[in-house]
Amino acid sequence: SQTDTPTSAHTYVPGTYDASAVYTQIKDRFQTEAEKYYFQAGYNGKAVDFDELKNNKELLSVYGFGVALGGHVELSIKCLVYGADPTFGLVGAVFAQNPVLVILMLDKGANPNVSVLGVGTLLGTGRFFEDNTLFFCTGDDIINFAAILGNEEIVDILLSLGADVDGALGGAAYV
């Protein structure tokens, strides 16, 4: 069962994580088939009809989350040009541990204090378990995840661009 606090058996080792773990955990958790399709297309770097998506900001943002999680910089820029919410992209960029995309999303107005719950119920809930499987934490700030993942560069970027230091300290307790 999921708990709100990691146990002493918590064995996550910073630097052993990759974005495919997030993709695998959430690719089927989206509420609609359209959300699943656009998230998966984004993660895989598949181009979509942006003119069709520009009138559906939620689907465009879900696509942008997948694009950022997949590390696709040029597609991320295109998503932002068409109006994707940069905060969704920030979440993907932090999980992908991509500092270039983190800076891009923050420069375009992403909320550096977003909680995972704050980007919507699309992302699920949970914690890291003993086998290093990633589950999402309800209510944790995105900076916690950067700290949990042991990515000092991204923590520093988030802090320098407005993230609350209390979030980083909470995450550091899990490293």
Short mmCIF file of all heavy atoms in Angstrom, two decimals, residues 105-131:
data_model
loop_
_atom_site.label_atom_id
_atom_site.label_comp_id
_atom_site.label_asym_id
_atom_site.label_seq_id
_atom_site.Cartn_x
_atom_site.Cartn_y
_atom_site.Cartn_z
N MET A 105 10.82 26.64 -19.37
CA MET A 105 9.47 26.69 -18.81
C MET A 105 9.33 27.81 -17.78
O MET A 105 8.33 28.52 -17.75
CB MET A 105 9.09 25.34 -18.19
CG MET A 105 9.04 24.19 -19.17
SD MET A 105 7.95 24.51 -20.56
CE MET A 105 8.54 23.29 -21.72
N LEU A 106 10.36 27.99 -16.95
CA LEU A 106 10.31 29.07 -15.97
C LEU A 106 10.35 30.44 -16.66
O LEU A 106 9.64 31.36 -16.25
CB LEU A 106 11.45 28.92 -14.96
CG LEU A 106 11.30 27.74 -14.01
CD1 LEU A 106 12.60 27.47 -13.28
CD2 LEU A 106 10.15 27.97 -13.03
N ASP A 107 11.16 30.56 -17.70
CA ASP A 107 11.21 31.82 -18.46
C ASP A 107 9.87 32.15 -19.11
O ASP A 107 9.55 33.31 -19.32
CB ASP A 107 12.29 31.76 -19.54
CG ASP A 107 13.69 31.95 -18.99
OD1 ASP A 107 13.84 32.35 -17.81
OD2 ASP A 107 14.65 31.69 -19.75
N LYS A 108 9.09 31.12 -19.42
CA LYS A 108 7.79 31.33 -20.07
C LYS A 108 6.64 31.40 -19.06
O LYS A 108 5.48 31.37 -19.42
CB LYS A 108 7.52 30.22 -21.09
CG LYS A 108 8.50 30.24 -22.25
CD LYS A 108 8.44 31.56 -23.00
CE LYS A 108 9.42 31.58 -24.15
NZ LYS A 108 9.41 32.84 -24.87
N GLY A 109 6.98 31.48 -17.76
CA GLY A 109 5.95 31.74 -16.76
C GLY A 109 5.48 30.56 -15.94
O GLY A 109 4.48 30.66 -15.23
N ALA A 110 6.18 29.44 -16.00
CA ALA A 110 5.79 28.28 -15.17
C ALA A 110 5.88 28.65 -13.70
O ALA A 110 6.74 29.43 -13.29
CB ALA A 110 6.68 27.08 -15.46
N ASN A 111 5.01 28.09 -12.91
CA ASN A 111 4.99 28.31 -11.47
C ASN A 111 6.07 27.45 -10.81
O ASN A 111 5.96 26.24 -10.78
CB ASN A 111 3.61 27.94 -10.91
CG ASN A 111 3.52 28.08 -9.42
OD1 ASN A 111 4.49 28.42 -8.74
ND2 ASN A 111 2.34 27.81 -8.89
N PRO A 112 7.13 28.07 -10.25
CA PRO A 112 8.21 27.29 -9.65
C PRO A 112 7.82 26.64 -8.33
O PRO A 112 8.58 25.84 -7.80
CB PRO A 112 9.32 28.33 -9.44
CG PRO A 112 8.57 29.61 -9.25
CD PRO A 112 7.37 29.51 -10.16
N ASN A 113 6.63 26.96 -7.83
CA ASN A 113 6.15 26.37 -6.57
C ASN A 113 4.97 25.44 -6.79
O ASN A 113 4.23 25.15 -5.86
CB ASN A 113 5.78 27.48 -5.59
CG ASN A 113 7.00 28.26 -5.17
OD1 ASN A 113 7.97 27.70 -4.67
ND2 ASN A 113 6.97 29.56 -5.41
N VAL A 114 4.81 24.97 -8.01
CA VAL A 114 3.68 24.12 -8.31
C VAL A 114 3.78 22.82 -7.51
O VAL A 114 4.85 22.27 -7.32
CB VAL A 114 3.59 23.80 -9.83
CG1 VAL A 114 4.79 23.00 -10.32
CG2 VAL A 114 2.30 23.08 -10.17
N SER A 115 2.63 22.39 -7.02
CA SER A 115 2.60 21.06 -6.42
C SER A 115 2.18 20.10 -7.52
O SER A 115 1.54 20.48 -8.49
CB SER A 115 1.60 20.99 -5.26
OG SER A 115 0.27 21.04 -5.74
N VAL A 116 2.57 18.87 -7.38
CA VAL A 116 2.20 17.88 -8.38
C VAL A 116 0.68 17.82 -8.49
O VAL A 116 0.13 17.75 -9.57
CB VAL A 116 2.81 16.51 -8.09
CG1 VAL A 116 2.27 15.45 -9.02
CG2 VAL A 116 4.32 16.60 -8.23
N LEU A 117 0.00 17.91 -7.35
CA LEU A 117 -1.46 17.94 -7.38
C LEU A 117 -1.95 19.17 -8.11
O LEU A 117 -2.97 19.14 -8.78
CB LEU A 117 -2.01 17.90 -5.95
CG LEU A 117 -3.52 17.78 -5.80
CD1 LEU A 117 -4.01 16.49 -6.42
CD2 LEU A 117 -3.92 17.87 -4.34
N GLY A 118 -1.19 20.25 -8.05
CA GLY A 118 -1.58 21.50 -8.69
C GLY A 118 -1.67 21.43 -10.20
O GLY A 118 -2.33 22.25 -10.80
N VAL A 119 -1.02 20.49 -10.84
CA VAL A 119 -1.13 20.39 -12.29
C VAL A 119 -2.31 19.51 -12.69
O VAL A 119 -2.56 19.30 -13.85
CB VAL A 119 0.16 19.89 -12.98
CG1 VAL A 119 1.28 20.85 -12.77
CG2 VAL A 119 0.52 18.49 -12.54
N GLY A 120 -3.04 19.03 -11.71
CA GLY A 120 -4.26 18.29 -12.02
C GLY A 120 -4.18 16.85 -11.55
O GLY A 120 -3.11 16.34 -11.22
N THR A 121 -5.30 16.20 -11.55
CA THR A 121 -5.36 14.81 -11.11
C THR A 121 -4.79 13.87 -12.16
O THR A 121 -4.70 12.67 -11.94
CB THR A 121 -6.81 14.41 -10.81
OG1 THR A 121 -7.59 14.62 -12.00
CG2 THR A 121 -7.39 15.21 -9.67
N LEU A 122 -4.37 14.42 -13.29
CA LEU A 122 -3.80 13.61 -14.36
C LEU A 122 -2.58 12.82 -13.92
O LEU A 122 -2.26 11.78 -14.47
CB LEU A 122 -3.37 14.52 -15.52
CG LEU A 122 -4.42 15.39 -16.15
CD1 LEU A 122 -3.76 16.35 -17.13
CD2 LEU A 122 -5.44 14.53 -16.86
N LEU A 123 -1.86 13.32 -12.91
CA LEU A 123 -0.55 12.76 -12.60
C LEU A 123 -0.55 11.67 -11.54
O LEU A 123 0.49 11.09 -11.28
CB LEU A 123 0.39 13.89 -12.16
CG LEU A 123 0.58 14.99 -13.20
CD1 LEU A 123 1.57 16.02 -12.68
CD2 LEU A 123 1.05 14.43 -14.52
N GLY A 124 -1.66 11.35 -10.94
CA GLY A 124 -1.69 10.25 -9.98
C GLY A 124 -1.09 10.63 -8.63
O GLY A 124 -0.81 11.77 -8.35
N THR A 125 -0.87 9.63 -7.78
CA THR A 125 -0.35 9.87 -6.43
C THR A 125 0.62 8.78 -6.02
O THR A 125 0.74 7.77 -6.68
CB THR A 125 -1.50 9.87 -5.40
OG1 THR A 125 -2.13 8.60 -5.42
CG2 THR A 125 -2.52 10.96 -5.70
N GLY A 126 1.32 8.97 -4.91
CA GLY A 126 2.18 7.92 -4.37
C GLY A 126 3.54 8.41 -3.93
O GLY A 126 3.74 9.57 -3.69
N ARG A 127 4.47 7.48 -3.84
CA ARG A 127 5.84 7.74 -3.40
C ARG A 127 6.79 6.78 -4.11
O ARG A 127 6.37 5.88 -4.81
CB ARG A 127 5.96 7.47 -1.89
CG ARG A 127 5.34 8.52 -1.01
CD ARG A 127 6.27 9.69 -0.86
NE ARG A 127 5.66 10.66 0.03
CZ ARG A 127 6.04 11.91 0.10
NH1 ARG A 127 7.01 12.35 -0.63
NH2 ARG A 127 5.44 12.73 0.91
N PHE A 128 8.09 6.96 -3.85
CA PHE A 128 9.06 5.95 -4.27
C PHE A 128 8.89 4.73 -3.37
O PHE A 128 8.70 4.87 -2.17
CB PHE A 128 10.49 6.47 -4.08
CG PHE A 128 10.89 7.50 -5.07
CD1 PHE A 128 10.87 8.83 -4.73
CD2 PHE A 128 11.32 7.13 -6.33
CE1 PHE A 128 11.28 9.80 -5.63
CE2 PHE A 128 11.73 8.09 -7.24
CZ PHE A 128 11.71 9.42 -6.89
N PHE A 129 8.98 3.55 -3.93
CA PHE A 129 8.92 2.33 -3.14
C PHE A 129 10.30 1.68 -3.13
O PHE A 129 11.23 2.12 -3.79
CB PHE A 129 7.85 1.38 -3.70
CG PHE A 129 6.46 1.89 -3.47
CD1 PHE A 129 5.56 2.00 -4.51
CD2 PHE A 129 6.05 2.27 -2.20
CE1 PHE A 129 4.28 2.47 -4.31
CE2 PHE A 129 4.77 2.74 -1.98
CZ PHE A 129 3.89 2.85 -3.03
N GLU A 130 10.42 0.59 -2.37
CA GLU A 130 11.70 -0.05 -2.14
C GLU A 130 12.42 -0.48 -3.42
O GLU A 130 13.63 -0.55 -3.46
CB GLU A 130 11.52 -1.27 -1.22
CG GLU A 130 11.17 -0.91 0.21
CD GLU A 130 9.70 -0.56 0.41
OE1 GLU A 130 8.87 -0.90 -0.46
OE2 GLU A 130 9.39 0.08 1.42
N ASP A 131 11.66 -0.77 -4.48
CA ASP A 131 12.29 -1.23 -5.73
C ASP A 131 12.64 -0.08 -6.66
O ASP A 131 12.92 -0.28 -7.84
CB ASP A 131 11.40 -2.24 -6.44
CG ASP A 131 10.07 -1.63 -6.89
OD1 ASP A 131 9.81 -0.44 -6.59
OD2 ASP A 131 9.31 -2.33 -7.56
#
